[in-house]
Amino acid sequence: MSILVIQIPPRQRLHTSGALAPAVGSELNYVLGRDDGLEALSQGRCAPALLPSANTVVAVLADTDIAWHRITLPKAPAARLRAALVGVLEESLLDEPESTHLALAPDASAGTPTWVAATHHGWLRAVLAELEEAKVFVDRVVPASWPDAPPSGHFAELNSDPDRASQTDRFQLTWAHADGVVTLPLQGGLTRALLPQPAPPGTRWSASPAAAATAERWLGAPLTVMNDAQRTLQASRTTWNLRQFDLARKGRGGRALRDSVRHFLSSEWRPVRWGIAAMLLLQLAGLNLWAAHLRGQLSERRLAMTAVLHEAFPQVRAVLDAPLQMERELQTLRTLAGKAGAADLEPALQAAAAAWPADRPPVDSLAFEPGRLTLAASGWSDAQVEQFRQQLLPAGWTVELTQGRLTLSRAAAARTGGPL
């Protein structure tokens, strides 16, 4: 199982030309790792359409694109929850509520304090739309930092101007703690004034490779060097997911099917695919062999029937349907001998007379066709009909009662023609 983590560049409001900036951009940084987010398999930068495939896709937003609000979650049904959130946060939002996307913290419950992440709705929708157009379906959208304890601080480049490499205003600090997340430039004294002195126990400090030297001098303590790929992969392990409300992932069944197919077609399942293909080929070969065996048996039986027909009736030369031709020959011999066949009237009348109830008058009407004798049975009780049927059953006759008439038939005898 694999995970593709995409780093979404910070939102730009306008190009220098005054046109709206694209939501995603021509190329994206990505990390392909294992599904636990602990190990990177590969990383790089490419166009969205060239991103590698994975079982799970996670998009990571920049720290500056998310605002954090602490509220008591109102009690409201799911269909009206966002409206309730807007009512609580309306005075705190910097943009209009219609243009702001809100997302609740994991495991948030009504009536308890919780965090709400806010970002630009139209921009995030455009990001997801551009990725889906490139056949990249994002399962989760997560923040790079979120309110957490113990706190963490990450130093990174604010811009990449080489002429300002020695100045602190080239770098920024993202401070994430239990009371929120804030991103501040290192220039000036505001950042030092806002940070607690000393830092709380267990504080985790990290910096990008370009900011590591400046960050250690500014902090006066060693820290962990963490590049963008490592930080992005670390963010993918959070339980946050900003795909909520109208941006929630749709088509989960289809997505699950696509993921299953993609997983089945991966290199990990190649031995299984080969095994299934071999099993199907063996099954197909076995079915063909069995079909050939059955065709051989059928051909042998047809030859045996033809041989019996030629032996019993040498005058028959052309054999088209051996059973039918044999039945006709037997019927001819029976007629010449003056004997009734199994499908004739006499055997049916004899069987009916033998089983006819003693308390019933003789039949007043009947109808006959080869193999079927129909008798009038008005006034018969169910017990009499059942007794009549049971007496004829051992001789191979079936009895049906329909609209006051009994029908005797012995189709098997009619087909075989009976003995001479």
Side-chain angles (χ1 to χ4, degrees):
M1 302 289 285
S2 57
I3 182 172
L4 175 65
V5 188
I6 306 170
Q7 184 178 0
I8 305 300
R11 180 169 69 97
Q12 298 179 5
R13 276 63 175 178
L14 295 173
H15 282 305
T16 55
S17 62
L20 289 174
V24 172
S26 58
E27 292 186 337
L28 293 172
N29 293 325
Y30 73 88
V31 182
L32 182 65
R34 301 192 182 279
D35 58 349
D36 55 10
L38 296 176
E39 180 182 356
L41 302 177
S42 64
Q43 62 186 56
R45 181 179 178 84
C46 65
L50 300 178
L51 289 169
S53 59
N55 302 103
T56 304
V57 180
V58 178
V60 180
L61 302 187
D63 295 314
T64 54
D65 286 329
I66 302 177
W68 299 93
H69 303 276
R70 184 74 167 176
I71 65 168
T72 298
L73 185 62
K75 296 181 179 180
R80 301 183 58 186
L81 182 56
R82 188 188 182 281
L85 293 178
V86 170
V88 175
L89 293 170
E90 188 171 7
E91 296 182 359
S92 304
L93 299 177
L94 299 179
D95 292 329
E96 294 296 325
E98 294 77 12
S99 61
T100 302
H101 175 67
L102 303 176
L104 287 170
D107 302 324
S109 58
T112 60
T114 189
W115 283 101
V116 177
T119 188
H120 194 276
H121 182 273
W123 168 75
L124 182 55
R125 176 183 286 277
V127 166
L128 298 174
E130 288 187 27
L131 290 174
E132 289 184 1
E133 186 176 356
K135 306 303 181 183
V136 179
F137 301 95
V138 177
D139 297 287
R140 291 192 298 131
V141 176
V142 302
S145 301
W146 55 92
D148 197 9
S152 63
H154 181 75
F155 298 86
E157 286 184 287
L158 183 61
N159 58 61
S160 57
D161 187 353
D163 297 332
R164 304 168 65 183
S166 61
Q167 301 180 18
T168 55
D169 61 347
R170 181 188 169 193
F171 303 102
Q172 64 184 9
L173 168 65
T174 299
W175 175 247
H177 55 118
D179 295 325
V181 178
V182 61
T183 300
L184 302 167
L186 294 187
Q187 183 184 21
L190 178 62
T191 302
R192 292 189 183 276
L194 292 178
L195 290 182
Q197 298 294 334
T203 299
R204 298 159 294 173
W205 297 102
S206 62
S208 64
T214 301
E216 285 190 350
R217 288 194 300 269
W218 187 90
L219 187 63
L223 43 71
T224 302
V225 178
M226 181 181 296
N227 58 32
D228 290 342
Q230 293 172 324
R231 188 165 185 251
T232 301
L233 194 61
Q234 176 181 273
S236 69
R237 299 200 295 268
T238 180
T239 55
W240 274 89
N241 184 12
L242 305 189
R243 295 209 68 169
Q244 300 181 24
F245 301 111
D246 63 320
L247 297 184
R249 187 76 174 88
K250 296 180 175 63
R252 295 176 182 173
R255 175 62 175 166
L257 179 60
R258 286 193 297 270
D259 290 343
S260 300
V261 172
R262 185 184 302 171
H263 182 56
F264 180 74
L265 296 178
S266 64
S267 58
E268 300 173 356
W269 282 71
R270 185 177 293 115
V272 177
R273 294 198 301 272
W274 279 107
I276 293 177
M279 181 180 66
L280 291 177
L281 289 175
L282 288 175
Q283 291 285 343
L284 183 60
L287 289 175
N288 287 332
L289 290 174
W290 182 247
H293 173 67
L294 292 180
R295 285 195 297 269
Q297 286 187 333
L298 182 60
S299 178
E300 291 178 0
R301 293 188 179 185
R302 286 176 177 172
L303 291 175
M305 293 173 65
T306 301
V308 170
L309 177 60
H310 281 307
E311 182 179 354
F313 304 101
Q315 70 276 13
V316 179
R317 296 183 179 181
V319 180
L320 301 177
D321 187 341
L324 180 60
Q325 290 175 277
M326 187 176 295
E327 181 179 352
R328 290 176 178 174
E329 295 296 330
L330 288 173
Q331 183 64 34
T332 301
L333 292 176
R334 188 182 298 108
T335 302
L336 293 175
K339 294 185 177 181
D344 291 340
L345 175 62
E346 290 84 351
L349 287 175
Q350 291 175 0
W356 196 263
D359 57 347
R360 298 302 306 171
V363 64
D364 54 3
S365 65
L366 59 84
F368 175 77
E369 60 184 53
R372 293 174 62 88
L373 175 64
T374 303
L375 307 172
S378 58
W380 283 48
S381 65
D382 293 339
Q384 290 175 330
V385 173
E386 184 61 25
Q387 181 182 359
F388 188 71
R389 179 183 293 113
Q390 293 300 325
Q391 288 186 5
L392 292 176
L393 185 61
W397 293 94
T398 61
V399 178
E400 297 179 1
L401 177 63
T402 305
Q403 297 179 351
R405 303 184 71 82
L406 291 171
T407 301
L408 285 70
S409 62
R410 190 164 60 176
R415 286 196 299 268
T416 59
L420 277 172

